[in-house]
Amino acid sequence: MRRANTIIAAAILILFIIHGVFGAYQMMGLGYVNIKWLAYVMVVLIVVHAVIGFYLSAKTHKIQKKSGVEYKAQNRLFWARRDSGIAIMLFLAVHFISFTHNTDDGARLYRFDTFRLIGNILLVVSVGLHVLTNIRPLMISLGIKKAGSILADVLFVMSIVLIVMAVGFIVYFIRWNVM
């Protein structure tokens, strides 16, 4: 189950980068590529990843309770990983609300207001935290030798991608509310 979750996490990361970069360019008005199907595939993978994560977390929590030793200070990183995943799920709801609204006439967007901007920026931040805390174990699980040597490169690329996404949301907000 952990191996499947590793492969799912890697696929989510790749799809997230593609979705985020193309989405940011679209929100900035720089072009359009129809990748809606990609978002749906990613949602399915995220749900499976979350279910596996909840199951494994509950199992770990049960073992900790049974043993009577939780090692809270030593497990901060473990719980930061879980909490950032939960935050992602909450902010994904804001993201869905922001960009999916169907009427009888077809798909329509809601006004991209301050609430939606903040919710989507917090989604980017929570994904950044989740990736930051999970990228080393993901690389090790994938069998990448010398994970430390390319870790900085991966984190740098993810930083750039997350900044592009945040800028995309900000430009989109400005386009909705100023122009």
Side-chain angles (χ1 to χ4, degrees):
M1 183 176 301
R2 289 186 190 276
R3 183 70 177 162
N5 204 28
T6 298
I7 293 167
I8 291 169
I12 291 169
L13 188 59
I14 292 166
L15 294 177
F16 173 76
I17 291 169
I18 295 167
H19 175 75
V21 170
F22 282 121
Y25 286 148
Q26 182 178 345
M27 288 187 294
M28 289 187 245
L30 300 174
Y32 175 73
V33 177
N34 187 355
I35 54 168
K36 197 171 195 174
W37 63 271
L38 184 89
Y40 292 127
V41 170
M42 193 166 52
V43 167
V44 170
L45 292 175
I46 289 170
V47 168
V48 172
H49 181 66
V51 168
I52 292 171
F54 278 120
Y55 170 76
L56 294 173
S57 296
K59 189 174 167 183
T60 300
H61 187 65
K62 183 179 176 182
I63 290 168
Q64 287 176 342
K65 287 292 185 187
K66 187 176 180 180
S67 70
V69 183
E70 293 185 48
Y71 300 109
K72 290 184 183 192
Q74 293 83 358
N75 284 325
R76 282 191 200 130
L77 182 59
F78 173 82
W79 290 110
R81 290 173 178 152
R82 287 357 182 230
D83 292 345
S84 63
I86 291 169
I88 289 170
M89 299 307 284
L90 295 174
F91 295 123
L92 267 178
V94 174
H95 188 69
F96 291 146
I97 290 167
S98 299
F99 293 103
T100 56
H101 175 69
N102 293 315
T103 64
D104 292 336
D105 298 332
R108 299 284 182 256
L109 291 177
Y110 287 115
R111 181 173 177 81
F112 199 75
D113 57 14
T114 305
F115 169 77
R116 287 176 174 80
L117 173 65
I118 292 169
N120 281 287
I121 294 292
L122 289 173
L123 173 62
V124 170
V125 170
S126 59
V127 167
L129 179 61
H130 198 66
V131 169
L132 178 67
T133 59
N134 285 293
I135 195 68
R136 181 182 298 273
L138 176 65
M139 293 170 72
I140 291 168
S141 294
L142 290 172
I144 296 174
K145 306 286 188 214
K146 299 183 183 182
S149 63
I150 62 170
L151 185 62
D153 295 334
V154 171
L155 290 175
F156 177 74
V157 169
M158 279 306 300
S159 307
I160 299 300
V161 168
L162 292 171
I163 289 169
V164 166
M165 290 177 195
V167 168
F169 287 126
I170 292 166
V171 168
Y172 191 63
F173 174 79
I174 292 168
R175 289 177 67 205
W176 261 99
N177 293 287
V178 176
M179 297 178 173

